[in-house]
Amino acid sequence: MIAELLSATKVETMSVPKRHHFVPRWYLDQFADKDGMLNLYDKLNRKWRRQKPNKAMHRNNYYHQSWAPVGIDPYTLERKFGNDIEPNGKVCINKMISWEAELTKEEWNAIVIYITFQRVRVPRQAEAAKELLRNYILINGDAETTKMVLDGELKLTINDSFRFDFMKMASSHLYKYFLRMDWEIIEPEGSEFITTDSPVTFFNPEIPPPFESGLGLIGTVVFFPINPKKLLLMRHPEALEQGADLVKPVEEPFAQNRQTVVSQRFRWPEDQVVRHNKLMLELSDRLVAANSKEVLESFAGRLVGH
């Protein structure tokens, strides 16, 4: 399934916008205020601003594959996000949180695919993957060459094409783990959820920020804020067992006969929501977004002006 979505296609004549969102506009719209504006906090320069969702969390030609052979569409991935993964995910996620009808297997699959790609497509994950590859090359490569790189005599460059290879490898891996997890919907009391430029966040209490744990560990949970009033929380069934070792790998990545379902709905008090939002800030790349400045200040302190 994942491999099919990432496969190259022949060139299409339809034009593609240069502005490619790594967090979709439809999703960011959920966190806009009554004027349709996002309230953004940039943790690197510690500044706050208001911005339209279509102007946020994008990069020009982010999914353009300039190395594609003649006759192969270099915008294949951007088209599949815009025409397939994002619209299908939007419809099915909205159906999931409405609690009005049971989802089909195909609809659950659309949600899992959407969440999977939202995890791997963001710059934070791409840069982390490149850093892992760089370290692997330096540790396992020729000692003399490694020394020259570390001494600055040689420059080691990871081509941008690796980002697309990473998305293909990682998405197939994560897809199976998401399917085996228990899903819950969390609603806030007295506050609201924020989102970030890395909205599908992994957290394990035994591996505190700024590090993110692997999804294959029993204690790793997934946070995905759907909107300010709904948070999807996913966890491995083994995590709730008495005395569970939170850093132990799960035994099986995916049970074929397991049915994906949102099993429970919980409410979090305001202090727990604020702690969660602070955690999302710590595990973001740079930007967090909320539908009010007050929500940002509840966990980030008094913000610097424009």
Side-chain angles (χ1 to χ4, degrees), residues 256-268:
Q256 288 286 350
N257 59 351
R258 198 164 192 274
Q259 176 65 42
T260 306
V261 63
V262 175
S263 57
Q264 299 185 69
R265 178 165 42 177
F266 294 100
R267 296 186 70 84
W268 278 358

Side-chain angles (χ1 to χ4, degrees), residues 12-256:
E12 299 181 22
T13 57
M14 187 190 311
S15 63
V16 176
K18 291 184 178 180
R19 183 182 294 163
H20 298 172
H21 282 79
F22 49 85
V23 179
R25 176 183 173 179
W26 80 264
Y27 172 78
L28 293 175
D29 283 339
Q30 311 307 304
F31 294 87
D33 61 21
K34 59 183 177 58
D35 298 319
M37 303 290 285
L38 289 175
N39 292 269
L40 295 168
Y41 177 62
D42 187 326
K43 71 179 186 182
L44 294 188
N45 61 28
R46 301 183 65 187
K47 289 187 177 182
W48 164 84
R49 69 178 184 270
R50 296 178 77 230
Q51 192 172 40
K52 292 182 178 180
N54 68 330
K55 302 288 187 181
M57 302 189 193
H58 68 83
R59 292 185 178 179
N60 286 345
N61 285 316
Y62 186 59
Y63 303 116
H64 180 253
Q65 300 177 65
S66 59
W67 54 89
V70 175
I72 297 299
D73 185 4
Y75 290 100
T76 291
L77 191 55
E78 169 63 11
R79 295 187 200 278
K80 287 183 177 177
F81 280 142
N83 299 331
D84 183 0
I85 296 172
E86 291 175 9
N88 289 343
K90 175 184 177 180
V91 170
C92 297
I93 287 172
N94 287 337
K95 183 176 178 179
M96 176 182 70
I97 63 176
S98 72
W99 301 92
E100 294 179 355
E102 292 292 330
L103 272 67
T104 66
K105 182 177 180 180
E106 290 73 23
E107 288 170 331
W108 282 115
N109 192 58
I111 296 174
V112 176
I113 289 173
Y114 177 89
I115 295 172
T116 298
F117 279 109
Q118 183 57 84
R119 170 65 183 183
V120 300
R121 68 194 285 190
V122 297
R124 185 175 191 268
Q125 295 306 313
E127 292 305 316
K130 287 181 180 180
E131 185 63 21
L132 284 173
L133 178 60
R134 183 179 188 277
N135 291 338
Y136 178 85
I137 292 172
L138 292 177
I139 292 171
N140 296 281
D142 175 73
E144 183 177 351
T145 302
T146 295
K147 184 177 184 303
M148 293 177 70
V149 172
L150 296 176
D151 290 343
E153 298 177 30
L154 285 178
K155 183 179 180 181
L156 175 58
T157 301
I158 307 298
N159 291 336
D160 193 51
S161 59
F162 174 73
R163 174 164 58 92
F164 293 81
D165 294 334
F166 160 73
M167 280 193 281
K168 185 173 183 177
M169 293 183 293
S171 57
S172 296
H173 175 78
L174 297 178
Y175 175 85
K176 297 176 181 179
Y177 280 107
F178 287 148
L179 285 174
R180 81 179 304 277
M181 302 180 91
D182 289 336
W183 295 28
E184 303 164 1
I185 297 294
I186 311 297
E187 299 176 350
E189 293 179 347
S191 188
E192 294 181 329
F193 295 116
I194 57 102
T195 194
T196 77
D197 52 13
S198 186
V200 179
T201 300
F202 297 173
F203 172 68
N204 189 313
E206 297 296 324
I207 307 173
F211 306 104
E212 269 191 303
S213 61
L215 191 58
L217 301 182
I218 286 176
T220 299
V221 297
V222 179
F223 297 126
F224 177 49
I226 297 171
N227 60 46
K229 297 296 185 182
K230 296 284 191 298
L231 169 74
L232 174 62
L233 185 151
M234 305 160 70
R235 72 177 98 214
H236 292 295
E238 297 91 337
L240 298 178
E241 296 176 1
Q242 186 71 26
D245 183 351
L246 300 185
V247 294
K248 179 182 178 182
V250 296
E251 293 184 1
E252 295 291 339
F254 174 49
Q256 288 286 350

